[in-house]
């Protein structure tokens, strides 16, 4: 059964949000979705770039009131 | 495609250690093969039991030190090793000068390494110095 998890990395600076995401991704199972919350402006570009490079699936990415909400599905 | 990135950490200032740690952690976690060679004043922060803060060179270093939410460079190097299999190598000459062994360093550290070995392993990769 795939699970959804929120990783709250608000108020941490680069590369804090990305490293939080990666350490949670390592523990997740294939099919799980992680929603990363980040106030680091660079996350909007950097996180999708990482997801693309590693080969996971970017489900959605939006900035709501200055907070990035980026959903990623673990594919491998 | 996986790249090979070799980082030489020499300076003991906060900005340089932070930047080196940021590059090492992101590159390693993105699948690059990362080796960090620590010598001179950069090595001293990884001696067990030492708690000295790295001095700031300027404005950004002071901001790094005082802002909450900035991941400390030691944590980033540790994550580079744990999440991305980065190799953290102490310079054997620096260990000799400090009269310490590998056992006096944080556990993430690999074997004491000489320059000949490091340079031959670094051949063909991208070398960054801080």
């Amino acid at each position: 059964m795939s699970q959804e998890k929120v990783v709250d990395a608000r108020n941490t600076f680069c590369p804090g949000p990305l490293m939080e995401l990666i350490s949670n991704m390592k523990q997740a199972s294939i099919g799980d979705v992680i929603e990363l919350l980040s106030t680091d402006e660079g996350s909007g570009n950097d996180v999708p770039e990482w997801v693309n490079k590693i080969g996971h699936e970017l489900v959605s990415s939006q900035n709501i009131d200055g907070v990035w909400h980026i959903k990623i599905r673990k594919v491998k | 495609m996986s790249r090979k990135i070799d980082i030489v950490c020499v300076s003991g200032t906060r900005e340089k250690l932070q930047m080196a740690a940021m590059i090492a952690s992101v590159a390693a976690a993105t699948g690059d093969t990362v080796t960090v060679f620590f010598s001179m004043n950069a090595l001293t922060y990884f001696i067990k039991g030492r708690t000295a803060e790295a001095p700031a060179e300027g404005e950004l270093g002071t901001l790094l030190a005082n802002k909450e939410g900035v991941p400390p460079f030691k944590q980033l190097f540790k994550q580079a090793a744990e999440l991305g299999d980065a190799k953290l190598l102490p310079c054997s000459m620096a260990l000799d000068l400090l009269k310490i062994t590998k056992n006096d360093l944080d556990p993430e550290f690999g074997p004491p390494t000489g320059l000949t070995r490091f340079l031959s392993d670094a051949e063909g990769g991208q070398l960054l110095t801080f």
Side-chain angles (χ1 to χ4, degrees), chain B residues 25-77:
Chain B
S25 57
V26 173
T30 310
D32 294 335
T33 303
V34 176
T35 302
V36 192
F37 181 75
F38 291 86
S39 189
M40 305 298 170
N41 299 317
L43 185 63
T44 59
Y45 299 99
F46 303 91
I47 299 171
K48 281 178 198 159
R50 288 212 185 176
T51 52
E53 293 281 317
E57 284 180 330
E59 185 179 349
L60 266 287
T62 310
L63 286 172
L64 284 172
N66 296 333
K67 267 252 195 302
E68 272 184 44
V70 174
F73 63 81
K74 287 186 72 162
Q75 178 189 316
L76 289 174
F77 280 125

Side-chain angles (χ1 to χ4, degrees), chain B residues 35-39 43 87-119 121:
Chain B
T35 302
V36 192
F37 181 75
F38 291 86
S39 189
L43 185 63
K87 277 192 269 181
L88 310 180
L89 304 175
C91 167
S92 51
M93 180 218 71
L95 290 178
D96 287 348
L97 277 176
L98 290 161
K99 295 192 168 61
I100 56 173
T101 69
K102 180 198 171 313
N103 296 333
D104 296 307
L105 298 172
D106 290 340
E108 297 79 44
F109 271 70
T113 303
L115 273 179
T116 310
R117 180 62 195 268
F118 173 70
L119 287 173
D121 287 351

Side-chain angles (χ1 to χ4, degrees), chain B residues 8-22:
Chain B
V8 180
C9 275
V10 177
S11 166
T13 62
R14 181 176 295 272
E15 289 89 334
K16 290 199 169 118
L17 285 162
Q18 186 74 20
M19 199 66 228
M22 288 165 72

Side-chain angles (χ1 to χ4, degrees), chain A residues 3-21:
Chain A
Q3 296 189 339
E4 284 214 31
K5 183 179 181 186
V6 175
V7 173
D8 188 349
R10 286 178 294 176
N11 303 315
T12 68
F13 291 86
C14 170
L18 183 64
M19 300 313 289
E20 285 276 314
L21 170 67

Side-chain angles (χ1 to χ4, degrees), chain A residues 18-39:
Chain A
L18 183 64
M19 300 313 289
E20 285 276 314
L21 170 67
I22 293 169
S23 61
N24 277 279
M25 219 48 170
K26 285 238 165 188
Q27 292 158 23
S29 307
I30 290 171
D32 286 357
V33 172
I34 289 179
E35 179 175 5
L36 178 71
L37 307 185
S38 173
T39 46

